[in-house]
Amino acid sequence: MITEQNSGNDNNNVQVVIEEGATVASTARIELLSSSSNNVVEITIGNGTVFHPESSLIVIPKSEDNSTEGEEEKEAAPLTKSRVIIGENNLFEEECRVEIDLNLVDDDKTSDNDPIQIIGNYNVFSPRSRVTTGRIGTANSFQSASHITSPTIGQGFVAGPLVRWNENRKNGMNDVVMFLMDNGCGTTMSNGVVGGTVQMRSRVNGTERNMKELDALLPAVRNVVKKNFDLRV
C-alpha cells in the first residue's frame, strides 16, 4: 500500500492511498476542489484500478460554512476530513474527468471518520468522458466524449460515445444504454458534435456483461501503463 500527500496549492489538501495492485500514472490528477484550507480528503484507490496519464478524479467536499462570522474565526475552524473509497478494477482513461460531489451524497458518513465508497467496482471512464455525480455504483461504462450529470449512477449503465445527458432523479440509472441517434440532417452543433437525439434502451444483464468486458481488457491496459509511463510510487 502506498500513501502520498498531495497539496496542489494552499487550499488543496489530498491524501491518496494506493492499494497494492492499483496502477496510477504519475500525471493522473487526483484532487480536492475546495476554496478552504480546512477541507481535507483521503482517497483510497482499490486493488486493480488503473489511472491512465492525464486522467482526472476531482472530489468536491461538503459545502463550507456560509455564516457571516469573521474570517479569522473561519480560519480557526477545525479541519473537515472526508474519507472516500474508489473500488476495485476501475479504468480511468486519458483525459477523462470524473467529479464526485459529496454534497449529493445522502450519507452522514462524509462527516465522520468512517470511509464512504463513492465509486464501486468495474467502471470504465473512456477518453474525454466527463461524469459529475455524488456516487457511482458498479459496472458502468462511460464511452468516449460522453458527458453525464446525475445525482447518483447505479449499475450496468452505458453512456454511448458523444452522449450528453443531465439527469435530476436520485434513483440512479441501472441496466440501460444511452446512445446518440443521428438526426439525418448532418448538422454539427457548436461543440463539434454531429446533431442527433439521445435514445435509451434496456441492457439485459448489463452489470454482468459490463464486468466481463472490462475484466478481459484490464490486464493488457495495466501492462501498457506500467511499461510506458511513470507511476505514482
Side-chain angles (χ1 to χ4, degrees), residues 42 52 64 94 111 127 144 149 184 187 195 208:
E42 178 187 281
H52 275 234
E64 297 153 12
E94 294 93 338
S111 60
S144 297
T149 299
T187 57
E208 181 181 355

Side-chain angles (χ1 to χ4, degrees), residues 143-180:
Q143 297 181 4
S144 297
S146 59
H147 288 193
I148 302 296
T149 299
S150 177
T152 59
I153 295 170
Q155 60 186 23
F157 169 70
V158 177
L162 304 177
V163 165
R164 305 291 194 265
W165 189 259
N166 191 324
E167 173 64 72
N168 294 319
R169 293 177 298 176
K170 291 188 176 182
N171 60 349
M173 293 177 282
N174 299 281
D175 295 315
V176 296
V177 177
M178 287 184 181
F179 59 97
L180 194 66

Side-chain angles (χ1 to χ4, degrees), residues 21-69:
T23 304
V24 182
S26 61
T27 57
R29 296 177 56 213
I30 301 174
E31 300 178 357
L32 175 68
L33 183 62
S34 174
S35 60
S36 172
S37 59
N38 291 326
N39 283 313
V40 179
V41 64
E42 178 187 281
I43 302 174
T44 299
I45 299 173
N47 175 49
T49 287
V50 177
F51 277 80
H52 275 234
E54 308 303 331
S55 57
S56 297
L57 171 65
I58 312 297
V59 176
I60 302 171
K62 288 282 189 179
S63 295
E64 297 153 12
D65 185 6
N66 293 319
S67 66
T68 58
E69 62 181 346

Side-chain angles (χ1 to χ4, degrees), residues 94-135:
E94 294 93 338
E95 298 187 20
C96 73
R97 181 181 175 93
V98 181
E99 294 185 2
I100 301 294
D101 188 347
L102 298 183
N103 295 286
L104 300 176
V105 178
D106 296 328
D107 195 320
D108 291 337
K109 288 183 180 180
T110 54
S111 60
D112 297 333
N113 196 41
D114 295 332
I116 179 171
Q117 186 155 354
I118 54 174
I119 297 179
N121 308 320
Y122 288 97
N123 294 286
V124 180
F125 306 95
S126 296
R128 296 197 173 184
S129 60
R130 180 161 185 163
V131 183
T132 302
T133 186
R135 179 177 285 170

